[in-house]
Structures are given as C-alpha cells and as structure tokens.
Amino acid sequence: MMRRARQLWVIVFFIPLAFLGLFYAYPLLSIFDVSLRPAGILDLSAFVRLLSSDYYIGTLLFTVYQAALSTVVTLVLATPCAFVFARYQFRGKTLLLSLATLPFVLPTVVVALAFATLLGKDGTLNDLLMAFFTLESTPIQLERSLAMIIIAHVFYNFAVALRIMTSYWSSLGFRVEEAARCLGADELALWRDIRLPLIRPAMLSAGVLVFIFSFTSFGVILILGGIRFATLEVQIYYQAVNMFNLPLAAALSLVQILSMLFMMMIYTSTQKRLQLTLASSAAVAKRPRTLLERLCVSLCVALIAVLLFAPLLALVVRSVLVAGQLDLANFASLVEKSRGSLLFIAPIESVFNSLRFALIAMCAALSLGLIASYMIERRGRWSRLLDPLFMLPLATSAVTLGFGFIIALDEPPLNLRASWLIIPISHTLVALPFVIRSVLPSLRAIPASLREAARTLGAKPVDALLTIDLPLLGRGIAVGATFAFTVSMGEFGASLFVAQRESVTIPVVIYRLLGDPGFASYRQSLAMSVLLMLVCASGFVIIERLRIAGVGEF
Amino acid sequence: MLRIERVSHAYGEIVSLRDVSLDLEAGEILCLLGPSGCGKTTLLRIVAGLETDYDGAIVFDGEDIRPVPVHRRGFGLMFQDFALFPHLSTADNIAYGLKRLGLNRREIGEKVQSLLQRVGLEDFDERDVASLSGGQKQRVALARSLAPNPRLLMLDEPLGSLDAQLRDQLALELRQIIKSAGLSAIYVTHDRREAYAVADRIAVMNIGSVRQHGSPRQVYRRPSCAFVARFLGLQNVYSTSDRRITSLLSRAGGGNWRIGSSILIHPAGIRHNGGQTNDAIPTELTLEAAVFRGERYDLTATTDSGLPLSFDLSELPVNVGEKLTVHILPDAIIPLDD
C-alpha cells in the first residue's frame, strides 16, 4: 500500500515538470528549430540577414539604448529617494513605499494609455497648460517620442529600485557615515566616499533588474512608440504577425532568449553579493529636523506622488468626463460593438473572457505551483536545480512565449491554436513563478518537526498535510492566488499572439480599440482601462494586506 | 515491553547508530545520555517511526513494529523545539491528538481541561501559543503528547532550550508527571544533572553506541570506561602506564588493572579529616586551585610526583599553594575499559 502511495506521489510530482516541458521547453525549442532550420535543414540565412542588416542591428542597439537610458533615469531618481526613505522616519512612509509598488501589478496597456492620456497631444497636461497660460499650440510634444517611453519605464521600475536600495541602506545603517563625519568628511565627501560606494551592490542589482524589465518591455513601446521605436520585442511581434516572416521572428526571439539568459546570470550574481550583507537589519531612520531635511523628504514624497498618481488620475478623470460633464456614457458604451471595428465582440464580453481565463489560470498555477514548491522544498539532489527551472518563465519575455505557442502548438497531436484553452495555459505559465515565490517562503518556514509531531499524535500523512501545512500556507496561497489572478488579467504580450476572435482578453481589446480610428473606440478603451486598473489595484490591495505578515519573497 | 535489538543506522556515509540494543520495562524512565551527535535522537526517531531506514528490530509487546506507520504506533514524542502548532490555540494544540482518536467535543474539552490542570496552565486554553514563555510552551508540549494516552512517551531534550534554573525545577516536575501517569518513557538529554533527576535507568551513548547502562547511582559510582567517566564530569582519569601514578597504585595493593589501560580515582573516595578506612592511602598534595561553589569547594591539587587530582570538600582546609594530606579509599580506584 505504501509503495503504491509513493508511486502516486512520483506521478503527481512530475505533473509540473511535464507542464513546463510541454508548454515552455517545447515552444522554445520550436523557436530554435524555426530559426535554425526553417525548411527542415540547417539554414542560417535568417541570421545572416539579421546580422548584416543595419535595420535589425539598429533594432538591437535601440533596445539596449532605451533600456540603458531607462535604467539610468530610474536610478538617478530612485537613489536619493531610497536614501531619504532609509534615513528619515515620516508619516505615511510605509504606505507610500507600499503604494509605490502598485505599478508592479498594473497591465502595460493601462499604463501606456494612462501616460498617453496625461502627456499626449490632446492630453490632460496640455489641456491644463493651454487653458492656464492661454496658449495657441500644445506645449508638450511627447507623442510617439522616446521620452514618453522612458517616462513610462521609470513609472514601472522606480518602485523596484526604491525597494531594493531602501532595504539595503536600512540594513547597512549609518554608523560608518557617522564615523566618517567624525573624521572630518563633509556632505560632498560623504556621498562620494561613503554613501555611493556602499550602496553600489544594491544599485547594481536594482539596475540590472530595471534593465531587464525595460529590455523586454512590450506593451508600453508598442502603444507609446509604434514601429518607429521598435525594440526586439516589438520587432518579433511585427515580423510574426504583420509580415508573416516566421524564420526572422524566430531568429529575433533566439537573440532575445540568449540576451535574457545572459542578463539573468548577471542578476543572480549581483543578488548573491547582496544577500551576504542583508543579514543584519536595524531601525536606523530618524525624524527629519532641519529645513533642508524636511525639504528633501517633501520633494521625495511629491516626486513619488506625481509619478505614480498623475497618469492614473488623468486616466480615471478622462474616462468619466464626457464633454466636460461627469458621465458614465463611456462605460455604458462597452456593451456596443462599434461598426467597422477590428473586434469580433462587444468590449464588455472580453471582461467575461478575462475573468474566466484568470480563474482557470489561477487554479492551474496554484495547483502546479504548490506541487512545484513541495518538489523544491524537499531539498533533494535536484531541488537546487528545480528552483531556477521553475523561474524560467519569468525570465522569458511574454512575446517570445506567445510566439513559441503559435508556432509549436498549431499541429496535431497538440493543436491548441484555435482553442481558447491556449490563453489560460499561457497565463498559467507566466503566473507560475509568482505562485512559487509566494508559497515557497511559507513552506520553508514550516519546521519538519510540526508534521512529525502531528504524525506521532496519530495524524495520517494526508491529515498532517490538511491540518498543518494547509492552514500555515494559507496566506502564501492567498498571495499566490491573487498574484496569479492579477497577472492573468493584465497579461498582454502572449495574449496578443494567442487570443483569437471571440476569445480576446481585456488588454488585447484595449490595444485593438486604440488601433481603431474614431473617437468612440478611444472612449471605450479608456473605460476598459479603468475597469482593468480597478481589478488589478484590488488585487494589489489584497496582496499588500496579506504581505504585512511578511509573506512572499522577491 | 520495548526491546531495541541490534539497531544500526546511517545517514549516507555517516554511521549514526552501531548495533544498539536496549530494553525498557513498563513504567520505567530510561534516559539516553550523551554528547550531541552521539545518535540518541536518531534512536528516538527510529522508535517513533520517523526514521524507517535502519537495520535491526524495534519490538514492542513482542511484536516487531517496523511495518507500523508513525500515526498508528500510539507513541507520544515531545520535540526539542516543542513543535507547537502556531496556527492553533493552546487548547487546540492539546486537543490535536484527541481529535485523531475520534473523541467527541465534550470528551475532548474535559480531557484538555484536566491536562491543562495537571501541567498547571488552567487559564491558558485560549492563549496563542506564540505568546507563551519557554516554560509554558514546554508544559503545553508535554500536555499535548500526554493527551492521547500514549503507550510510550519519548522526550527529546525537552528542557534543552530553557535556562538552567528553570531546568532543575522542571526536570523533577516532569518525572512526577510521567510517574503519576504510569507511563513508560525514553528521555533524551545531554545534561547529566537532568538525567540523574529524571531517570530510573541511564544509557550513556557515544558515537552511535551505548557505552554503559544502569541506575544513575551505578553509572556515576562505577563508570565503565574513560568516556563515561569524563562525560559525567569525573576528571581523575589516568593511564596506568603514567609514571606519576605508579607509587600510588603500588601502595593500593593488588588491583586488577592492566598496564596500558585506564583507571579513575573517584573524587567521592578522596577524604580529608574523617570518613577514611584503615586501608585508605594517605597522600600528600599541594593545593593548586580552589573554586568556591557555595556549598562546596572544587579543589585541584598535585601529588609529589606531579599527578593532578580533582575533588571537592565542604571547607577549605589550607590556602592555595600549601600542603595537605588526603586519604584515598582503595575502592575509589576504579579500572576502566578502553
């Protein structure tokens, strides 16, 4: 009987691996195959074209350039803010630090549209400036500019950098600084000789992470930049969907995959250096006293508030104002399918699609993630390998995944191309690392002796799982579920590839509506974005509430 | 009642138990005493059924219990870290095993109350276990493992994480509770004082095997080997080939020690002013150090030949650096196995 139970466990344990193999490794290998052997034999012409074309070299260089620029701007803004957050205690600090993470769960389409609404040609800021200064022409000309892309990237990544650097700085404390001051260092020398050199590991780690996020950014660039500002991601999408040049798209994907692999390696090594010193943490914040200190804190708070809330506020206000009046007509119009639209359905129907897919993806990611977490936690010979293995989808761009899906899963025996199932499957893959990262810390925190105690008190193995593990994992599971749900609701890159006709999701609909000419579609896209933002923000609130108890590691 | 028959166990390459045989009578408290890493906890886990990969047999009431899974053994185990369930209240922790037995709510409630009373925590039933002090946690863990009326109670360093003062008091209390419940128990510890206070019988373990077992008094008075002697804090262990000891041994007459083996000069047999028998060996010593311990002085002195001796006296007879004469009882010279 015990042997059969053990066999059953082995089978259960292999389910997540099988899922990863089928829906991650197989599509990725298909990309390799299409790029290296488009006609069944080794053919590197796509690569040769890629590397000999100034255009595609330009794409690659621009991808690196915009990512580097986003990283630098983010770090320049986040470093002083991190210092202020670590150094000073002020009211609302915890809330602000928590709120600053909100963009992390906001879908790219929503953010892109929010910035377009705030800073675009007919944007809120231009309207306000023109009304205030009675100007004839629009003062802000950011439409389809690199600056707009960079600003949106900073919006996304600011909190990531802020959190990493703040916690590192808090853990370092300010003793060294006090010592330097006693030895005669002035403010300038402190920054040059003490603060910046000390914070460098955290800055490096944050910088690499921001670079990775910006390098793989898709929705923001597609919507705010267009093909003129094509990065690798956008180019893959463009070549695959608009030009049907699959070998070239595959070759670009391969470049993307290899770059990601390289960057993840660098990130992991910077992480290691960070963990060494993060051991001790002391409360080192003090109240700001001098006028200068107060000014710094105020500036910092203002920067975060403006960066975070201005675009989202502009989006919400624009969506509920019709001809200067408060009116929910935009939302009411969602039930209509506008004529001549690229959509096959009324926008509101995509809400039901998204909810359905998100629920399925949540359940699937939760089941697979729980099993995977137990596999990793067993501390066997393979667990060291398993953890990074299950993190791979996080390190793979959504566009690459979506592209892999459509070229790999389009023929028997596994033809999912026309099935709506392909969407929740792709979302499950993207959500899986989030579930594992949420569950694993709680799981690791359960001492083995608790289960053993339960067993000696008469609990069967299954009883011990249900009465000990499950309640103790509760918060972790809830955080993971919310993450999975939110990630699925907002997923854009992969969905754009795999969502077909009637089964489109909210982000895809928003993108399609933006592509439609006509004011009606634009108003519908505003209303849809606000709806999606509310769903994701609710998810964020739940996660942050649960996280106060210290669940989740990122 | 419980027989441990030639049990061996290894963690990979590292042998943790080597051919261990022990038995336990009904109602007896057996103490496994030894330094950390000696295999005592592993032996406990094997008996509990938590380690299944071992050679030999665990026989309970005449039956080899190897195929019986942990939850069907009905053995209580109290963990070193107490392993209290953090998501359950104090009462629910104690009720956990009772629920597995299928008792109804009323029965469980009554049993929990009487257990709380027995361990002196009457009003703690709804308390969050995280808010309990170390000593209180220890009591809850004890009550929890007592609750399902275990056929055998095992305690793995149950006082290990508490401070020394609390430990002395609780060791006695533990013995009384186990005895009043009429339980058979295996008690694991590395602290000899704790073992003396709790055990009916002590098995001293080292590197995976039992070196000696017997009553606390037997083990202390007649340690079988150098390891046991030293582990019990008896420091006067010498090799018989040590030149400094030959004159002492020759004066003691024909002992049965071999050249090259070890002997112990038990401090309980070193007398000063009274208590000595006629055949006691008078020995002149120089006092090297004296440590005041309150009720006793711990003394270190050397013989003329330079042999160091440790013993204790209730009064300081001379000042440090001065000479004194002690009498060594012949039966204080104990031959030791290797």
Side-chain angles (χ1 to χ4, degrees):
Chain A
M1 192 197 84
M2 276 174 83
R3 181 166 298 172
R4 189 174 297 171
R6 185 165 289 180
Q7 283 170 347
L8 191 71
W9 276 116
V10 170
I11 293 170
V12 169
F13 274 164
F14 268 99
I15 295 174
L17 280 179
F19 182 85
L20 208 61
L22 198 58
F23 298 115
Y24 180 78
Y26 173 53
L28 242 58
L29 287 177
S30 300
I31 292 178
F32 281 54
D33 193 49
V34 169
S35 61
L36 299 173
R37 307 187 311 151
I41 47 165
L42 190 66
D43 176 5
L44 297 177
S45 61
F47 272 100
V48 174
R49 252 188 79 196
L50 200 69
L51 295 175
S52 58
S53 145
D54 286 348
Y55 179 68
Y56 295 115
I57 294 290
T59 300
L60 185 62
L61 287 179
F62 175 72
T63 310
V64 173
Y65 172 63
Q66 62 84 22
L69 202 58
S70 306
T71 308
V72 169
V73 176
T74 305
L75 287 182
V76 164
L77 289 175
T79 308
C81 283
F83 177 76
V84 167
F85 268 83
R87 183 89 240 218
Y88 300 112
Q89 188 60 48
F90 49 92
R91 242 191 315 179
K93 181 171 123 172
T94 325
L95 182 72
L96 201 63
L97 199 58
S98 163
L99 275 178
T101 333
L102 175 65
F104 199 62
V105 298
L106 286 185
T108 51
V109 276
V110 173
V111 172
L113 189 56
F115 273 99
T117 310
L118 180 70
L119 304 174
K121 187 157 164 293
D122 304 314
T124 310
L125 202 55
N126 269 331
D127 286 357
L128 287 176
L129 289 174
M130 282 163 72
F132 199 72
F133 296 106
T134 53
L135 300 173
E136 287 298 308
S137 61
T138 54
I140 297 172
Q141 307 264 358
L142 289 174
E143 192 117 319
R144 307 236 163 239
S145 73
L146 180 60
M148 189 86 133
I149 294 172
I150 303 297
I151 292 171
H153 282 171
V154 171
F155 170 86
Y156 257 113
N157 297 315
F158 180 79
V160 175
L162 183 69
R163 276 209 169 181
I164 292 176
M165 287 196 283
T166 301
S167 70
Y168 187 72
W169 232 325
S170 302
S171 76
L172 283 182
F174 293 93
R175 281 280 167 74
V176 181
E177 201 168 292
E178 284 160 7
R181 222 187 273 268
C182 293
L183 293 168
D186 59 7
E187 199 64 19
L188 184 72
L190 278 181
W191 276 104
R192 189 192 58 215
D193 301 334
I194 309 292
R195 288 175 191 158
L196 288 180
L198 277 181
I199 195 68
R200 208 163 60 190
M203 226 166 148
L204 203 66
S205 184
V208 176
L209 205 58
V210 173
F211 189 88
I212 290 174
F213 286 154
S214 309
F215 192 86
T216 52
S217 163
F218 175 62
V220 165
I221 294 177
L222 189 66
I223 294 170
L224 293 180
I227 192 65
R228 200 159 73 81
F229 291 104
T231 57
L232 267 181
E233 291 280 287
V234 175
Q235 198 66 253
I236 294 166
Y237 173 72
Y238 188 68
Q239 290 299 332
V241 172
N242 294 25
M243 310 299 283
F244 299 107
N245 191 343
L246 294 189
L248 187 63
L252 286 164
S253 289
L254 198 57
V255 173
Q256 171 82 318
I257 293 167
L258 295 178
S259 322
M260 279 301 284
L261 218 59
F262 178 64
M263 288 186 288
M264 285 311 283
M265 270 162 55
I266 296 178
Y267 177 64
T268 319
S269 75
T270 63
Q271 273 271 297
K272 267 182 205 135
R273 220 173 312 165
L274 217 54
Q275 274 163 354
L276 283 178
T277 32
L278 265 176
S280 71
S281 174
V284 288
K286 57 173 195 181
R287 300 209 150 273
R289 292 201 192 281
T290 64
L291 192 65
L292 185 70
E293 286 173 350
R294 289 205 191 133
L295 193 69
C296 286
V297 169
S298 310
L299 267 176
C300 187
V301 171
L303 172 72
I304 295 172
V306 169
L307 184 66
L308 195 65
F309 295 115
L312 300 181
L313 202 64
L315 180 68
V316 174
V317 168
R318 198 42 89 85
S319 76
V320 294
L321 283 183
V322 178
Q325 299 285 312
L326 187 67
D327 191 340
L328 293 177
N330 292 341
F331 291 87
S333 76
L334 292 180
V335 297
E336 297 157 20
K337 185 174 118 43
S338 44
R339 262 190 302 166
S341 162
L342 294 166
L343 288 171
F344 287 84
I345 54 171
I348 196 74
E349 288 176 55
S350 71
V351 175
F352 301 119
N353 280 340
S354 275
L355 288 174
R356 186 163 52 120
F357 298 154
L359 279 175
I360 296 172
M362 181 181 86
C363 293
L366 216 49
S367 321
L368 294 170
L370 272 170
I371 301 171
S373 300
Y374 272 94
M375 286 173 71
I376 295 167
E377 205 263 340
R378 280 169 71 95
R379 294 177 200 282
R381 213 178 324 165
W382 303 105
S383 72
R384 284 169 63 87
L385 278 176
L386 282 177
D387 197 2
L389 191 69
F390 280 109
M391 287 303 114
L392 278 177
L394 201 63
T396 313
S397 79
V399 169
T400 307
L401 284 179
F403 178 55
F405 266 46
I406 62 164
I407 61 172
L409 306 176
D410 65 339
E411 57 201 353
L414 203 64
N415 188 357
L416 292 171
R417 184 82 181 86
S419 161
W420 58 266
L421 262 178
I422 196 168
I423 304 164
I425 288 175
S426 67
H427 291 184
T428 303
L429 198 61
V430 177
L432 191 56
F434 288 91
V435 173
I436 293 176
R437 279 284 143 254
S438 308
V439 172
L440 202 54
S442 316
L443 189 60
R444 284 187 170 143
I446 302 177
S449 62
L450 287 192
R451 293 181 198 114
E452 293 176 349
R455 296 295 313 285
T456 60
L457 290 168
K460 283 178 282 196
V462 178
D463 281 345
L465 206 64
L466 292 178
T467 57
I468 307 300
D469 287 46
L470 200 61
L472 289 175
L473 291 180
R475 278 172 190 277
I477 291 174
V479 169
T482 318
F483 255 129
F485 188 83
T486 322
V487 164
S488 168
M489 289 296 288
E491 208 292 322
F492 178 59
S495 305
L496 196 56
F497 270 98
V498 297
Q500 300 290 308
R501 297 165 168 269
E502 282 84 14
S503 63
V504 285
T505 59
I506 302 177
V508 175
V509 164
I510 296 172
Y511 175 66
R512 296 253 189 274
L513 286 172
L514 284 174
D516 271 355
F519 196 53
S521 295
Y522 174 66
R523 285 172 29 181
Q524 282 183 326
S525 72
L526 285 175
M528 290 290 284
S529 294
V530 170
L531 282 184
L532 185 54
M533 186 182 95
L534 288 178
V535 172
C536 294
S538 314
F540 168 79
V541 170
I542 294 173
I543 293 170
E544 285 297 305
R545 271 284 166 87
L546 291 169
R547 255 215 204 156
I548 292 170
V551 192
E553 58 175 32
F554 280 96
Chain B
M1 188 185 68
L2 177 79
R3 278 209 319 278
I4 296 164
E5 291 178 354
R6 310 200 58 179
V7 166
S8 298
H9 176 271
Y11 291 106
E13 297 286 292
I14 302 151
V15 177
S16 48
L17 288 174
R18 216 183 294 266
D19 221 8
V20 171
S21 296
L22 277 172
D23 50 45
L24 181 72
E25 310 268 317
E28 187 188 30
I29 303 176
L30 170 68
C31 201
L32 303 179
L33 174 66
S36 64
C38 72
K40 52 193 195 302
T41 295
T42 306
L43 187 58
L44 207 63
R45 293 173 60 84
I46 288 175
V47 175
L50 294 168
E51 301 287 339
T52 49
D53 212 9
Y54 62 92
D55 295 327
I58 306 294
V59 179
F60 191 84
D61 283 345
E63 177 203 1
D64 185 349
I65 54 172
R66 183 187 288 274
V68 183
V70 187
H71 59 281
R72 297 237 182 81
R73 292 199 177 186
F75 294 173
L77 174 55
M78 200 176 141
F79 289 79
Q80 185 172 13
D81 63 350
F82 306 138
L84 296 181
F85 305 134
H87 56 301
L88 300 180
S89 69
T90 300
D92 286 338
N93 260 281
I94 299 172
Y96 189 90
L98 299 170
K99 284 182 185 154
R100 305 301 123 198
L101 291 175
L103 270 62
N104 68 37
R105 283 173 73 94
R106 197 177 49 79
E107 290 169 317
I108 292 177
E110 284 170 7
K111 189 90 201 258
V112 168
Q113 280 310 321
S114 85
L115 280 161
L116 280 170
Q117 217 158 38
R118 200 191 302 176
V119 297
L121 291 174
E122 285 89 345
D123 300 322
F124 285 73
D125 46 354
E126 289 313 312
R127 280 280 285 275
D128 186 356
V129 290
S131 70
L132 300 178
S133 72
Q136 290 165 342
K137 282 182 184 161
Q138 186 269 337
R139 286 154 198 257
V140 174
L142 178 66
R144 187 179 68 178
S145 48
L146 290 175
N149 287 328
R151 303 192 288 169
L152 168 69
L153 180 65
M154 289 179 282
L155 307 99
D156 186 5
E157 307 245 3
L159 306 178
S161 55
L162 306 178
D163 57 66
Q165 216 171 357
L166 201 55
R167 218 154 29 184
D168 280 354
Q169 180 203 334
L170 287 177
L172 186 64
E173 228 179 87
L174 261 178
R175 178 174 168 88
Q176 282 162 352
I177 290 175
I178 296 169
K179 283 291 174 189
S180 72
L183 285 168
S184 320
I186 305 179
Y187 189 108
V188 161
T189 182
H190 65 269
D191 183 327
R192 57 179 193 269
R193 286 166 58 90
E194 214 178 298
Y196 298 155
V198 173
D200 294 321
R201 207 147 50 86
I202 293 178
V204 185
M205 293 182 67
N206 188 34
I207 341 178
S209 50
V210 174
R211 303 306 302 268
Q212 186 178 9
H213 61 105
S215 72
R217 191 183 157 82
Q218 276 170 349
V219 173
Y220 178 72
R221 281 305 176 92
R222 307 255 353 146
S224 65
C225 63
F227 167 76
V228 172
R230 288 209 180 91
F231 191 72
L232 297 180
L234 305 170
Q235 291 160 42
N236 306 328
V237 176
Y238 314 98
S239 163
T240 47
S241 53
D242 189 334
R243 289 240 179 99
R244 295 174 300 175
I245 205 170
T246 12
S247 73
L248 193 69
L249 289 181
S250 63
R251 284 193 284 154
N256 53 348
W257 40 80
R258 292 181 290 111
I259 295 297
S261 68
S262 297
I263 58 143
L264 165 73
I265 300 179
H266 205 293
I270 300 177
R271 303 289 165 86
H272 181 257
N273 284 343
Q276 65 264 39
T277 50
N278 287 334
D279 53 355
I281 310 146
T283 309
E284 188 162 88
L285 302 173
T286 306
L287 188 60
E288 300 288 346
V291 180
F292 180 56
R293 296 284 186 203
E295 65 278 15
R296 315 281 297 171
Y297 285 89
D298 281 350
L299 306 176
T300 314
T302 48
T303 64
D304 294 339
S305 54
L307 188 75
L309 269 180
S310 298
F311 55 102
D312 60 314
L313 294 174
S314 55
E315 291 298 334
L316 193 61
V318 295
N319 290 322
V320 171
E322 296 175 357
K323 292 197 184 281
L324 78 160
T325 305
V326 297
H327 296 268
I328 298 174
L329 306 185
D331 62 1
I333 302 175
I334 301 166
L336 300 172
D337 298 339
D338 296 323

